[in-house]
């Protein structure tokens, strides 16, 4: 017996049984997600296929006859004298077989399966499916591991076993739509596996078509898993699938014309299990049923994928059409407690059971079953025997006796999408019967609804208005919804009473981080806890993964979050009392109001670090400090995007970061419109929830240019720039007062305090004039300054306010810098003696004060970065780099000029240093609104110039070396080589053409014959007549080509690059300038008031104050701490503005033209559906009347009913039907009239909209069309 796929579990050898019980499945590790740069994608896929092949050959076997021998025709036969291909199981031997039979223990042994891999069905769509040939006694555990671990299928939350008619199966159009939509919807929402027979016929083909339609229409949603379990023996063209090493791919063609009694595989199933029992042709039908049943039972015994639930995977059987085999399947499923959903109207046994279930069990007789069978089976009824009818009646009795497991779905034309509801209701109905307590029932129901992600079921069946839920009752389900990533349920639970403060304690929060999905943040936590390798996939695949999750603590989370936010922040979690997640605070202990964690903040942060957009949106709506939360999220996401190694993840993170930046902009804009002072206070308020930082600092660190460019932010920066001075002072007045400071005692220069006092006086006068107390309350509420005790400034305070303003410091430093450059130039050009003069010594002292200021900036560390980190931040600024270069060059030049030998080189270095100091002068233009953006454009063009020069140098060197080699023979003078190969070709670009390449212009006196004259270049190669011998035609052609490429091509390319850079940057220059303006303002805010060289006195004072006296640093206007009570009021007002912004955004969206059209379309669709429903009900009523009339005329069929009904009951029934018809006619007329009115209204709205569009086009100068198309609403 060759390839005998026969045998049962009873015939399995003891050796295999012992192997199954003692030896675990052989494990092949998953391929690494990252590969060397030299490996291609095809090589990676080949490695994956090779590993799957190895696993399948090690774990999935078939039975094969042995030994083989050759007959007279040299053909392989087994001991039973059948050929290897014809050798089959004992059950399928022919009746006339008289030879000795195979002894399975002696002649049959197990070998690896020879049919597995990936099927390519060809065609336009190039569909493919994974497949494997398995034996009937293959353990379901092996198949489940193949599906989940090797084929990478996610474990199912539900199994939908579809069974029914396999041949000559017809389904009405509305039933087809209902089946397709309902099946796909429940599979998508619950993450279910659909298991069918896998062939291209009957109900299996309908399932495949549903999967195909879903793949075409919903490319972004999760893929549908459709597993086909088909008998190997009936597969047409199965020889195409056989290959001992696996087929990757196997080319398979669906040939329905030539399949005969066999069947083809369906090309829309994602995975195929081909069950072989050793039989072929029609005898193989049904061979897959035992293995399919065992697989479904094995899956149902496993718990759902998440660790947060103990519910086992549920299985539901969906039945369409079918015959006796389908009935046995239904009966077996009901007996095992598996709920069944029968689609009424699909035909045959499904309709028999559906109609029989409407009768009492006592009336389900053999006669009734016979009549229903005759009605729904048609011509097949003649082949059904009476004993079969009796057996069917008994099984239907057992099925109908358990209504909790039987659901009849009656689809109509208006119910095309509710099959999914029927399937889920059937599961829940069956699940409730297994639960004795009512309280436990709703909990399990909610747990299933969360697992299946069916928020509609929870809303209609659980969260009704009949009960008020306690927060503690829903905590477990809130945790389950978060871990399972069900944002709709998180929102639903929050709406129905879950209190985040009660739910999210330290232990729960820590558990949430331990159950993070695989993401970058989890990998970073693993590195903190255990791993040190740089391979992310290797870390995630290590055996210590679960242990590493258990070791995660809030301490690790706080460290990593601080890394993402920046070292300028504090740790977000204070010390814990239980000591489990003990935290430390570096600088100072937390205040009492700081030590309390915010649950909404913690939930939002947990969602953000895993890049979960939907959950983070919901959590952000719960945050009190919403603007800081949005900006912190933007900073974290951009940092993670920079550190991510995945291909698509960074883009998703940046999109979410931009979304939260837009949220912050929207909230701040709403705040600024309502109250400018409060909004600006929110910018610089210290947020204790986000690491003791401010909104402004978070936006700057996150590079949120759009936020910083907002009007309110710029107004705040302008206030800081002006200091105590009014922002309305003209620049010329400030400059005059800097020289003639007594003018500050007059009203020549306005101070901010004076404006506040004037505003208070105006408010008091207004209150006296109106006499209304409400006005006073309103004014006080709208002005925070009215609550402050503002006093007029004294003489010293005015002087201090003038010279301490960053604006005045800046102007003073500009004057000082110009004076320094003037003195520097004077010394270099006029007074540079061997012995330093007085002016030169003053220059050195001046430079020393500049150096001391740079040292102060380097050590100025208000954020406690540490020297190394502060030095990194310092050197990242371009102007600081220029400062360092200029100082270093000055020191080198000064050292050289002090020596007699290197005096002149020292002066040269100082002259070069003067250029660097002049370039540093450009920094003063960054504050100017006109010139500041131009500096940004210059920086961008300098980068473009660098790459252009690299390209240009290729042409210059190529032409220069070729020209030099052709003209000059063996010139070993390096300076003249560089002149000829680089310098001269470079000058050619600017019009300086060489004379030695043209014989007519060659002058022998301009060169040196042997190259001994250092002032002249070496002459070209000459002949006896002292004439050049180089090919003139070649040198001139080379020059023309060089000029064409360099002067025309490359120069125009540079112009095009500059033009592109200018247009690209110019559109954003204002935004970029506003962002970079902060750095200059911050620098001069912290700078001492005196300009160099007088700044040295301030440096001495600061040194004594901070080092010797150890005085505390004063609070700055970039970071303001406000009292707890005022902060609570401010945050409440911010939350109110957030709600106002969200509401206005929704209203704007709903009021848009698209929203109007969408709403109108939805209303028309609803009215149309109601009209169709009324028509269906009318038709049903008419059919009922016809049935009544027919039943009255056919006394033979309705003898029992005629005997029991009286004449009065008949009249009442007719009267009710007639009343129903009249009511239906009235409703139909009403709906028709309403629909017509709505259509007329829509037509008028569309006409008006088109007219408005036409008017707008005319106003813009666009020509109007002569004829407008008439719009009709159908």
């Amino acid at each position: 017996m060759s390839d005998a796929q026969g045998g049962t579990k009873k015939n399995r050898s003891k050796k295999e049984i012992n192997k199954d019980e003692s030896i675990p499945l052989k494990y092949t590790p998953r391929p690494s997600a990252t590969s060397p740069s030299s490996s291609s994608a095809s090589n990676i896929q080949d490695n994956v296929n090779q590993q799957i092949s190895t696993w399948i050959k090690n774990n999935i076997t078939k039975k094969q006859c042995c030994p083989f021998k050759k007959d007279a025709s040299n053909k392989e036969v087994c001991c039973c004298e059948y050929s290897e291909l014809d050798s089959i199981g004992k059950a399928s031997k022919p009746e006339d077989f008289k030879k000795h039979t195979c002894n399975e223990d002696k002649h049959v042994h197990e070998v690896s399966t020879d049919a597995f891999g990936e099927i390519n069905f060809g065609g336009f769509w190039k569909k493919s499916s994974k497949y494997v040939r398995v034996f009937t006694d293959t353990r379901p555990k092996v198949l489940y591991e193949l599906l989940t671990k090797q084929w990478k299928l996610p474990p199912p939350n539900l199994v939908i076993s579809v069974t029914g008619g396999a041949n000559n199966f017809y389904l009405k159009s509305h039933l087809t739509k209902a089946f397709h939509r309902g099946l796909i919807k429940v599979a998508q929402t619950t993450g279910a596996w659909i298991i069918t027979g896998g062939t291209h016929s009957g109900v299996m083909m309908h399932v495949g078509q549903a999967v195909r339609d879903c793949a075409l229409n919903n490319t972004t949603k999760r893929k549908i898993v459709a597993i086909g379990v088909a008998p190997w023996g009936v597969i047409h063209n199965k020889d195409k699938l056989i290959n001992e090493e696996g087929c990757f791919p196997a080319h398979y063609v669906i040939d329905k014309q030539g399949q005969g009694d066999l069947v083809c595989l369906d090309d829309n199933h994602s995975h195929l299990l081909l069950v072989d029992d050793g039989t072929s042709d029609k005898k193989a039908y049904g061979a897959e049923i035992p293995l399919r049943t065992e697989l479904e039972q094995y899956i149902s015994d496993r718990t759902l994928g998440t660790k947060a639930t103990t519910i086992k995977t549920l299985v539901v059987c969906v039945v369409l059409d079918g015959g006796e085999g389908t009935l046995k399947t239904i009966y077996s499923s009901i007996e095992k407690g598996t709920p069944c959903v029968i689609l009424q109207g699909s035909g045959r046994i499904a309709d028999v059971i559906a109609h029989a279930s409407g009768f009492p069990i006592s009336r389900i007789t053999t006669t009734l079953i016979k009549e229903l069978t005759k009605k729904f089976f048609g011509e097949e009824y003649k082949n059904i025997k009476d004993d079969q009818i009796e057996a069917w009646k008994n099984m239907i009795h057992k099925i109908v006796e358990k209504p909790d497991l039987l659901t009849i779905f009656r689809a109509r034309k208006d119910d095309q999408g509710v099959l999914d509801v029927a399937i889920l209701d059937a599961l829940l109905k069956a699940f409730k019967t297994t639960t004795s307590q009512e309280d436990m029932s709703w909990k399990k129901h909610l747990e299933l609804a969360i697992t299946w992600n069916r928020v509609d079921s929870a809303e209609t069946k659980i969260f009704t208005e009949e009960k008020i839920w306690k927060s503690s009752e829903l905590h477990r389900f809130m945790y389950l919804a978060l871990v399972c990533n069900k944002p709709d349920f998180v929102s639903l639970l929050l709406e129905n009473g879950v209190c985040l403060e009660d739910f999210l304690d330290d232990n729960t929060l820590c558990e949430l981080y331990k159950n993070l999905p695989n993401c970058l943040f989890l990998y970073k936590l693993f590195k903190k806890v255990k791993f040190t390798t740089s391979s992310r996939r290797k870390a995630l695949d290590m055996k210590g993964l679960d242990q590493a999750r258990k070791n995660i603590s809030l301490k690790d989370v706080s460290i990593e979050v601080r890394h993402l936010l920046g070292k300028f922040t504090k740790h977000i979690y204070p010390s814990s009392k239980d000591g489990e997640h003990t935290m430390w605070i570096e600088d100072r202990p937390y205040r009492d109001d700081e030590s309390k964690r915010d649950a909404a903040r913690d939930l939002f942060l947990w969602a953000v670090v895993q890049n979960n957009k939907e959950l983070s949106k919901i959590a952000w709506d719960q945050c009190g400090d919403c603007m800081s939360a949005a900006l912190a999220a933007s900073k974290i996401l951009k940092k993670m995007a920079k550190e991510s190694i995945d291909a698509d993840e960074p883009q998703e993170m940046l999109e979410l970061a931009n979304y939260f930046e837009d949220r912050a902009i929207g909230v701040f804009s709403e705040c600024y419109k309502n109250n400018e002072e409060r909004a600006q206070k929110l910018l610089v308020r210290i947020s204790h929830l986000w690491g003791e930082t401010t909104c402004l600092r978070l936006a700057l660190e996150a590079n949120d240019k759009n936020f910083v460019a907002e009007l309110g932010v710029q107004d705040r920066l302008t206030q800081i720039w002006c200091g105590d001075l009014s922002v309305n002072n003209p620049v010329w007045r400030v400059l005059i007062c800097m020289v003639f400071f007594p003018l500050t005692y007059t009203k020549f220069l306005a101070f901010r305090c004076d404006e506040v006092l004037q505003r208070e006086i105006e408010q008091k006068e207004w209150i006296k004039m109106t006499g209304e107390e409400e006005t006073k309350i309103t004014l006080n509420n709208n002005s925070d300054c009215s609550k402050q005790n503002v006093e007029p400034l004294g003489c010293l305070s005015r002087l201090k306010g003038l010279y301490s303003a960053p604006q005045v410091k800046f102007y003073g430093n500009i004057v000082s810098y110009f004076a320094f450059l003037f003195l520097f130039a004077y010394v270099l050009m006029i007074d540079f003696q061997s012995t330093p003069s007085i002016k030169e010594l003053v220059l050195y002292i001046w430079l020393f004060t500049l150096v001391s200021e740079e040292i102060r900036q380097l050590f100025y560390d208000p954020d406690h970065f540490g020297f190394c980190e502060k030095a990194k931040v310092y050197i990242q600024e371009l102007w600081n780099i220029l400062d360092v270069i200029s100082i270093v060059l000055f020191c080198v030049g000064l050292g050289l000029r002090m020596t007699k030998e290197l005096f002149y080189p020292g002066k040269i270095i100082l002259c070069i240093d003067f250029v660097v100091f002049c370039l540093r002068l450009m920094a003063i233009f960054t504050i100017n609104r006109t010139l500041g953006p131009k500096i940004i454009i210059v920086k961008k063009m300098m980068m473009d110039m660098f790459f252009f020069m690299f390209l240009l140098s290729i042409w210059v060197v190529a032409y220069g070396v070729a020209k030099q080699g052709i003209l000059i023979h063996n010139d070993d003078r390096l300076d003249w080589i560089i002149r000829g190969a680089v310098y001269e070709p470079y000058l050619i670009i600017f019009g300086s053409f060489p004379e030695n390449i043209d014989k007519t212009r060659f002058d022998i006196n301009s060169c040196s014959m042997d190259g001994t004259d250092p002032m002249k270049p070496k002459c070209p190669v000459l002949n006896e007549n002292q004439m050049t011998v180089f090919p003139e035609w070649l040198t001139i052609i080379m020059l023309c080509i060089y000029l064409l490429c360099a002067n025309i091509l490359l120069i125009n390319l540079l112009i095009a690059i500059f033009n592109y850079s200018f247009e690209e940057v110019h559109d954003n220059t204002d935004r970029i300038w506003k962002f970079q303006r902060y750095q200059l303002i911050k620098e001069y805010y912290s700078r001492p008031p005196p300009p160099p060289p007088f700044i040295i006195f301030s440096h001495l004072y600061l040194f004594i104050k901070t080092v010797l006296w150890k005085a505390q640093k004063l609070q700055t206007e970039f970071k303001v701490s406000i009292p707890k009570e005022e902060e609570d009021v401010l945050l409440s007002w911010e939350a109110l503005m957030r709600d106002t912004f969200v509401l206005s955004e929704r209203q704007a969206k709903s009021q848009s033209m698209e929203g109007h059209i969408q709403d109108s379309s939805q209303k028309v669709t609803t009215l149309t559906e109601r009209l169709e429903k009324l028509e269906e009900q009318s038709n049903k009523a008419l059919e009922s009347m016809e049935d009544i009339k027919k039943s009255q005329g056919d006394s033979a069929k309705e003898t029992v009913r005629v005997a029991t009904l009286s004449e009065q009951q008949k009249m009442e029934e007719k009267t009710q039907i007639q009343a129903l018809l009249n009511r239906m006619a009235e409703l139909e007329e009403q709906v028709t009239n309403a629909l017509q009115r709505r259509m007329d209204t829509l037509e008028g709205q569309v006409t008006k909209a088109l007219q408005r569009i036409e008017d707008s086009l005319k106003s813009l100068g666009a020509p109007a069309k002569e004829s407008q198309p008439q719009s009709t609403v159908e």
Side-chain angles (χ1 to χ4, degrees), residues 728-740 743 747-749 802 807 811:
N728 299 318
N729 287 318
V731 176
W732 63 271
R733 290 196 179 190
V734 176
L735 295 176
I736 291 175
C737 288
M738 289 174 60
V739 180
F740 303 102
L743 292 176
K747 293 184 179 181
F748 183 78
L749 193 66
L802 172 64
Q807 181 183 17
Y811 297 145

Side-chain angles (χ1 to χ4, degrees), residues 891-950:
C891 294
V892 173
L894 177 61
L896 294 179
R897 68 97 56 220
M898 291 299 180
T899 61
K900 294 182 179 180
E901 297 81 4
L902 300 175
F903 175 79
Y904 187 69
K907 182 179 180 181
I908 294 175
I909 293 177
L910 290 175
C911 292
I912 296 174
D913 188 34
F914 181 80
V915 177
V916 180
F917 274 107
C918 290
L919 291 177
R920 180 63 174 86
L921 193 62
M922 288 192 301
I924 67 174
F925 299 126
T926 56
I927 197 64
N928 186 271
R929 192 180 190 90
T930 304
L931 297 179
K934 303 304 182 290
I935 301 298
I936 301 170
I937 296 176
V938 169
K939 289 181 181 179
K940 183 69 170 62
M941 288 184 174
M942 288 177 64
M943 295 297 298
D944 295 336
M945 177 71 78
F946 172 79
F947 293 107
F948 172 79
M949 291 303 297
F950 174 78

